[in-house]
Amino acid sequence: MSVSMFMDIMIIPHSPSGRRTLARPRLCYNQPMRWGFSIIIAACLLASLSLAHTRGKASRVFGKPMPLSEAALSAYVLERPAEMYTRWKDAGIRGRVAVVFSDRMFLEFSAGNPKYRRDDFPPYEPLRDWQEQNLNDRNPVSIGLRNNMLREVWYVMPPEKFMAQKTAITGKTRNPAIISVSEDTIRLGLRGTPVTITTSIPRITEAVIVDIDSSFLFGERPDWGIDDLRASGLMTDLMTVSISNQAEGFTAQSARELLSMLSGEKR
Amino acid sequence: MRELKPAVVISAITALGFVLRAWGLPSQPLTSDDMAVALSAQNYIETGHLGPVMWNHPVLRNIIVYMTLKLAGGGVWGLKAASLMFGTLSIPLLYIAGRRILENETAALVGAFLLCIDPMHISFSRQAVHEVWMMFFILSGLVLTLEAIDRQRPLYLGLAGLAFGLGVASKWDVAVYMALCVIYAIQSRKREDRFDTESAAWDIGALVIVPSAVYLLTYMPWFGRGYGLGDWAFLHSSMWRATVFHEGYNEYMMELDHNASLWFIKPVGYATIAFTEAEPVALVSISNPLTWMLVLPAVAWMGIRSLALRSTKMALATACFVFGYMPFAFTSRPIWAHSAFSILPFGFMAVGMASVSLKERLKHGRWIFASYLVLASLIACALYMLAIGKGMDYEALRPLVMRFQPMGER
């Protein structure tokens, strides 16, 4: 507001009786200008809606999408789950949906905060760097979300593991993160970030990032899911197989065999 | 000169308000909330992520605090400049709004003075959290709406929409006041036989569409994470759930007054603990009983007067208080006393009007009126020391500070 406008409001002419007298209208609503303002306002809203939506979509970075069976031929085998973050970073992906086949979530949030620098700007070290310093096998998905490689995560779990997660999540009274719970799906909003846990492979039309964790395939039901994966219709430009239960006998060689099965090279 | 005199008085009150809010600010230890506000601002602008503090509220604070931090090169002033500015400027805005609504200079000045010395408002104007911002945006929107309607200036209504948009982008409760101003604008036009569909469409456009566009634009860093409008709706359902289920960020918060229905019935308090290398410092803000506890009868009086005088502006102020207060008073979730800032200007306006009215009607009214202001100021002086974290320096105030010690440490 300009100074003259402010003073205009401050110094209101008063009649001797103390009642305010209205100033002569300067700009009547019935002038054609009102139409001009209305059009500008409507245009502003449409422009901001369009700007917001396109900014979001334009921020997403994809590679070349392909079916899972094809992607299996060029998939990465990771010795540790933490490496999936490194692969995502190397691929330069951004704003993507990830589908993680696993009985664990790799979603541990970094404890604590970076150190506050009272008289510096910015007051904290770059947050991306700080997040990466805290990368470990329990949090690659969390760091991927925090650093905007991912915008949404779907977890596909074996039914028995899903039930255990469901009990853990819904057991807490008034958990505000729960958006909806059904028999085979839990929808969460983690500070607004959509996270879905389900027992069936989701139908997602855009190309997704896929990680298949050994805990999913070689847990309690070794054969579970291969055929479902091949028939899922999911498209991906980046696929990883991470080994989180190497101690149970699942090795890089096992992972490669798995990928051969998925690609159809080996039956 | 007759017109300038109140302007001089309100300028002096505003200057006093600024001094009270800024005095000793660099030496006031930072609270964990202050630092978390800086982190949230950096987090939002750098990455588009919400939080860590108050992630469930809209995002304007992150943008403005980041800007002020950048302008000031970091530090306390950069962190708290916006709260200090909005807190101080709410004082003259309360006067301008009061003057238009009550049509009484003295009552408007009293209302502004009560806000100037209010210890709780002072305390939060000295903190980085944005609790005092909403009052500023509500009063700005209200004053500009009244100006637009009274003087037929459509552009002012657009500016009112901008103010309300920034308000809603701070906290959602500002939408209540925005809606009341839309109703007021349309009703005023009907009452004065100036109603036509196009003008009403303009009112709604200016007071609903402009704020909506402003609100949306504040989410641009968030959209930069790759989200679309559908995801934005999901985010808001997530924010809404977190707001509805909010029970404080730590157990200590539940030990503080958190029942909104008691705000104006008894003195209520809030404390923020700043942990320093020496010893913890408690910023204890307690409502001034001589002002807050008069609010409910004064608002009732204002409501009655609005009917007697057929004053739609007083009715609007009363409605702002009632409809602003109701969601807080009747909710089952805890609500802390600083949430009262949105309705407080209407309460103080009413107290100003009631006290001036009594001054004119009672025998020795001038003495009673002067004594009231002096007493309220004296209590405010004592509570001020608590609000700026100096309570433990005064023997007489220590018991009050100790009452806010966490249960586990008593």
Side-chain angles (χ1 to χ4, degrees), chain A:
Chain A
M1 194 189 313
S2 70
V3 174
S4 63
M5 277 170 71
F6 181 74
M7 290 307 292
D8 211 18
I9 300 171
M10 280 286 286
I11 314 299
I12 303 164
H14 277 65
S15 69
S17 66
R19 292 195 65 80
R20 197 176 59 72
T21 53
L22 289 180
R24 191 179 179 80
R26 287 185 190 172
L27 189 60
C28 181
Y29 277 42
N30 292 326
Q31 288 174 348
M33 255 181 120
R34 137 192 93 180
W35 283 104
F37 284 134
S38 302
I39 291 166
I40 290 169
I41 285 178
C44 283
L45 181 68
L46 290 174
S48 52
L49 283 169
S50 163
L51 187 67
H53 198 63
T54 50
R55 176 171 159 75
K57 287 202 163 181
S59 303
R60 300 173 192 168
V61 178
F62 292 85
K64 185 187 168 198
M66 56 191 97
L68 292 190
S69 55
E70 195 179 326
L73 297 171
S74 55
Y76 296 97
V77 175
L78 312 176
E79 297 287 333
R80 293 177 52 212
E83 289 174 27
M84 74 174 94
Y85 174 84
T86 317
R87 287 293 170 192
W88 297 340
K89 189 178 178 186
D90 291 345
I93 59 160
R94 184 179 165 85
R96 303 292 304 280
V97 177
V99 180
V100 179
F101 296 84
S102 173
D103 69 358
R104 59 203 72 182
M105 295 176 75
F106 311 113
L107 202 55
E108 183 181 273
F109 275 78
S110 309
N113 290 324
K115 188 171 166 51
Y116 179 67
R117 307 180 295 200
R118 185 182 162 115
D119 292 316
D120 285 348
F121 181 82
Y124 294 89
E125 66 179 288
L127 300 174
R128 282 190 182 86
D129 298 348
W130 184 80
Q131 291 288 347
E132 287 180 1
Q133 287 161 22
N134 289 282
L135 177 66
N136 60 49
D137 285 340
R138 295 181 302 280
N139 66 12
V141 171
S142 168
I143 309 271
L145 284 166
R146 298 289 308 171
N147 287 352
N148 293 339
M149 290 156 189
L150 311 179
R151 71 174 200 276
E152 180 173 358
V153 185
W154 288 75
Y155 291 98
V156 183
M157 290 189 177
E160 53 274 24
K161 294 293 182 185
F162 170 83
M163 288 311 295
Q165 281 290 347
K166 189 174 174 180
T167 306
I169 290 168
T170 57
K172 184 183 170 189
T173 54
R174 288 166 66 95
N175 184 347
I178 300 172
I179 302 294
S180 63
V181 179
S182 67
E183 201 173 309
D184 60 355
T185 305
I186 304 168
R187 186 101 165 122
L188 303 173
L190 303 180
R191 287 190 187 169
T193 300
V195 172
T196 308
I197 309 167
T198 181
T199 55
S200 51
I201 300 172
R203 294 188 182 280
I204 301 171
T205 50
E206 76 170 64
V208 296
I209 302 299
V210 173
D211 178 69
I212 303 170
D213 187 70
S214 52
S215 64
F216 174 81
L217 291 153
F218 285 77
E220 291 156 31
R221 295 170 58 185
D223 59 335
W224 197 86
I226 289 285
D227 289 339
D228 290 332
L229 278 170
R230 286 171 56 80
S232 68
L234 283 179
M235 300 288 282
T236 182
D237 51 327
L238 181 56
M239 184 175 177
T240 52
V241 176
S242 49
I243 304 170
S244 66
N245 56 350
Q246 202 163 7
E248 294 165 29
F250 189 83
T251 62
Q253 183 56 36
S254 321
R256 286 189 196 95
E257 283 174 18
L258 163 72
L259 288 167
S260 298
M261 287 166 68
L262 189 54
S263 67
E265 284 182 350
K266 184 179 175 183
R267 284 275 168 187

Side-chain angles (χ1 to χ4, degrees), chain A residues 29-30 34-35 38, chain B residues 185-186 189-190 193-206:
Chain A
Y29 277 42
N30 292 326
R34 137 192 93 180
W35 283 104
S38 302
Chain B
I186 292 172
R189 215 183 284 288
K190 277 190 171 171
D193 281 338
R194 289 190 280 111
F195 183 83
D196 61 78
T197 313
E198 289 118 352
S199 299
W202 162 252
D203 292 344
I204 293 169

Side-chain angles (χ1 to χ4, degrees), chain B residues 71-265:
Chain B
L71 283 172
V76 172
W77 294 110
L79 190 56
K80 301 183 177 180
S83 291
L84 181 63
M85 182 179 72
F86 292 140
T88 304
L89 289 180
S90 295
I91 298 166
L93 277 174
L94 173 51
Y95 161 72
I96 297 167
R99 183 179 167 170
R100 279 189 172 273
I101 289 165
L102 308 173
E103 299 192 350
N104 186 303
E105 290 284 355
T106 317
L109 285 170
V110 170
F113 178 69
L114 297 183
L115 181 65
C116 166
I117 60 167
D118 187 70
M120 194 169 283
H121 191 262
I122 289 171
S123 179
F124 280 92
S125 299
R126 296 165 62 90
Q127 295 181 37
V129 287
H130 64 305
E131 303 299 344
V132 298
W133 296 23
M134 283 67 75
M135 181 195 285
F136 172 82
F137 290 123
I138 290 166
L139 287 171
S140 302
L142 179 67
V143 165
L144 287 162
T145 303
L146 295 176
E147 178 70 10
I149 301 301
D150 286 351
R151 298 201 193 183
Q152 289 288 292
R153 289 177 170 172
L155 182 61
Y156 280 46
L157 212 56
L159 292 174
L162 177 66
F164 281 127
L166 294 171
V168 178
S170 301
K171 278 195 182 179
W172 290 329
D173 64 332
V174 176
V176 171
Y177 309 91
M178 189 176 84
L180 288 170
C181 281
V182 174
I183 295 167
Y184 175 80
I186 292 172
Q187 277 300 320
S188 300
R189 215 183 284 288
K190 277 190 171 171
R191 204 178 49 252
E192 294 169 18
D193 281 338
R194 289 190 280 111
F195 183 83
D196 61 78
T197 313
E198 289 118 352
S199 299
W202 162 252
D203 292 344
I204 293 169
L207 290 176
V208 177
I209 296 179
V210 170
S212 304
V214 169
Y215 182 81
L216 179 68
L217 289 172
T218 60
Y219 281 86
M220 279 302 159
W222 181 84
F223 280 106
R225 289 169 57 193
Y227 291 118
L229 289 173
D231 301 309
W232 194 58
F234 178 87
L235 169 72
H236 279 74
S237 74
S238 194
M239 290 163 73
W240 173 255
R241 290 182 67 84
T243 302
V244 170
F245 290 148
H246 182 60
E247 290 181 342
Y249 297 102
N250 51 56
E251 288 177 5
Y252 174 61
M253 286 184 79
M254 294 303 286
E255 296 174 19
L256 302 167
D257 290 306
H258 57 265
N259 184 347
S261 61
L262 300 177
W263 283 346
F264 304 108
I265 306 288

